[in-house]
């Protein structure tokens, strides 16, 4: 792989910046971006000539790094609203039509699209280079998604980081400790909006899948308890149900609540469950504040919270 330097872009004209981005080896360019500190990247994208070339070049070349089979089944339009210094400076639409990609640059702020992705220019660069996780950015408020979330999820899974086999934007790759860390600085109202959107099942599925990993085997060695969860706030208004069983130090999670006699059932909003599962809401405080409503044996419900070492922010 040929090494490239971002240095020439500091003084490049618009034409030179476009030629640089268009002609650079993608793998080498990604490596250079990943090696650069945020301040260096910000200095570059503060220059309109470089920013326009970088954003336009990335979007125009996405087809080169796409999984052809996955791309062939997608249809829709995605608008990218990219901000710099709290002001949208780049707004483009990418039209996906069963294997064909068309970039429509410089659209108006009311340009219709099936889904709108809003983030900073720096966030966009870091996302497409695989350095940031879209799911974490969404939970932490660094990324907003409005519209067809299924299209947004599908789009994120078809492009790979040049030189790797990893998809550039994988919102399903959520580490609980990372989630706990971003929520420590996030806005609760934003989390509520995310957990009432189409990304809700992605977040909940991953948290419940990983939950057994955080059971303290010593504390749970003599446990025999079953606690159901009724999660409110889904976009369709349906109540989601999961059951957590802890027996002799091991935990299992099942969907629904049929066929299992429960010691207790906890009812809460989806965003409050995420806060509980990431150490930002204690079980006792949740019950006292009415955010967690417990039917049945409250002691067993609190015992479940005691034997799980919920992830904590770094």
């Amino acid at each position: 792989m040929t090494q490239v330097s971002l240095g020439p872009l500091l003084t490049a004209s618009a034409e030179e910046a476009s030629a640089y981005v268009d002609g650079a080896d993608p793998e080498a360019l990604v490596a250079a971006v990943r090696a650069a500190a945020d301040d260096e990247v910000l200095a570059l994208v503060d220059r309109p000539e470089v920013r326009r070339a970088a954003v336009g070049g990335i979007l125009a070349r996405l087809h080169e790094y796409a999984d052809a089979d996955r791309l062939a089944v997608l249809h829709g339009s995605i608008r990218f609203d990219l901000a710099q210094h709290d002001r949208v400076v780049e707004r483009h639409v990418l039209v996906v039509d069963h294997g064909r990609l068309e970039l429509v640059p410089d659209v108006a702020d009311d340009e219709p699209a099936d889904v709108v992705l809003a983030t900073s220019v720096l966030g966009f660069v870091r996302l497409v280079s695989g350095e940031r996780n879209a799911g974490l950015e969404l939970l932490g408020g660094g990324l907003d998604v409005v519209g067809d979330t299924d299209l947004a999820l599908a789009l994120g899974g078809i492009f790979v980081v040049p030189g790797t086999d990893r998809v550039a934007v994988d919102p399903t790759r959520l580490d609980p400790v990372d989630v706990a860390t971003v929520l420590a600085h996030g806005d609760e109202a934003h989390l509520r909006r995310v957990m009432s959107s189409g990304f809700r099942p992605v977040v909940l599925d991953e948290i419940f899948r990983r939950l057994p990993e955080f059971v303290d085997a010593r504390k749970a060695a003599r446990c025999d308890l079953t606690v159901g969860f009724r999660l409110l706030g889904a976009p369709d208004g349906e109540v989601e149900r999961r059951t957590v069983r802890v027996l002799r130090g091991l935990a299992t999670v099942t969907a629904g609540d049929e066929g299992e006699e429960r010691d207790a059932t906890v009812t809460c909003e989806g965003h409050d469950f995420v806060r509980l599962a990431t150490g930002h809401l204690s079980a006792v405080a949740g019950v006292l504040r009415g955010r967690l409503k417990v039917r049945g044996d409250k002691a067993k419900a609190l015992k479940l919270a005691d034997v799980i070492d919920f992830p904590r922010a770094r």
Side-chain angles (χ1 to χ4, degrees):
M1 178 183 67
T2 303
Q3 289 188 336
V4 301
S5 168
L6 300 179
L9 291 174
L10 287 170
T11 56
S13 65
E15 294 76 14
E16 290 169 338
S18 293
Y20 180 96
V21 174
D22 292 343
D25 174 71
E27 187 176 344
L29 187 57
V30 165
V33 169
R34 292 171 70 96
D38 282 355
D39 287 348
E40 297 175 76
V41 177
L42 284 170
L44 290 174
V45 297
D46 264 342
R47 302 190 66 228
E49 305 91 339
V50 175
R51 183 181 65 238
R52 178 62 53 86
V55 173
I58 289 170
L59 292 175
R61 297 184 66 178
L62 282 178
H63 66 279
E64 299 177 26
Y65 324 114
D67 180 304
D69 292 335
R70 293 183 181 181
L71 186 60
V73 301
L74 283 189
H75 176 76
S77 56
I78 305 94
R79 199 178 84 203
F80 294 84
D81 289 1
L82 307 181
Q84 186 83 341
H85 305 302
D86 299 319
R87 180 175 64 89
V88 174
V89 293
E90 300 288 336
R91 184 178 282 114
H92 311 288
V93 168
L94 188 66
V95 178
V96 186
D97 186 13
H98 303 297
R100 184 178 64 87
L101 291 177
E102 178 188 357
L103 178 62
V104 184
D106 304 318
V107 299
D109 59 4
D110 60 352
E111 180 73 18
D114 296 309
V115 62
V116 177
L117 307 180
T119 186
S120 66
V121 178
L122 175 64
F124 171 76
V125 171
R126 295 303 192 197
L127 282 169
V128 297
S129 63
E131 296 170 88
R132 293 188 185 178
N133 177 275
L136 294 175
E137 291 291 296
L138 183 64
L139 288 172
L143 171 68
D144 271 326
V145 179
V146 179
D148 188 342
T149 52
D150 287 338
L151 176 60
L153 286 166
L155 181 76
I158 65 176
F159 300 107
V160 299
V161 178
T164 77
D165 57 359
R166 292 186 296 104
V167 296
V169 182
D170 183 3
T172 67
R173 199 174 66 243
L174 294 173
D175 179 83
V177 176
D178 289 338
V179 173
T181 301
V182 299
L183 292 185
H185 309 287
D187 176 67
E188 186 176 340
H190 175 79
L191 178 62
R192 182 190 289 270
R193 290 194 298 272
V194 172
M195 293 307 294
S196 61
S197 76
F199 286 97
R200 175 189 176 100
V202 173
V203 178
L204 291 179
D205 286 350
E206 190 64 8
I207 287 178
F208 275 112
R209 184 184 73 83
R210 299 286 301 273
L211 186 146
E213 300 175 18
F214 295 92
V215 171
D216 186 314
R218 182 185 60 81
K219 290 182 180 179
R222 296 184 180 181
C223 274
D224 182 359
L225 57 87
T226 302
V227 177
F229 287 88
R230 299 176 70 252
L231 305 179
L232 312 177
D236 59 6
E238 293 293 319
V239 177
E240 296 175 75
R241 294 172 169 84
R242 308 289 177 100
T243 300
V244 179
R245 169 102 161 130
V246 178
L247 179 63
R248 292 190 290 275
L250 297 176
T252 55
V253 178
T254 55
D257 55 10
E258 298 296 327
E260 183 79 59
E261 185 174 338
R262 295 170 300 286
D263 297 302
T265 299
V266 178
T267 300
C268 64
E269 295 285 338
H271 73 281
D272 276 329
F273 174 77
V274 174
R275 294 178 65 238
L276 173 71
T278 52
H280 295 292
L281 175 65
S282 76
V284 173
V287 171
L288 292 177
R289 295 173 187 169
R291 294 198 168 196
L292 307 177
K293 295 179 173 60
V294 181
R295 188 179 71 242
D297 190 334
K298 284 188 178 181
K300 285 288 185 79
L302 292 174
K303 181 64 175 177
L304 175 64
D306 180 59
V307 302
I308 297 176
D309 287 334
F310 291 115
R312 303 286 174 177
R314 293 189 179 93

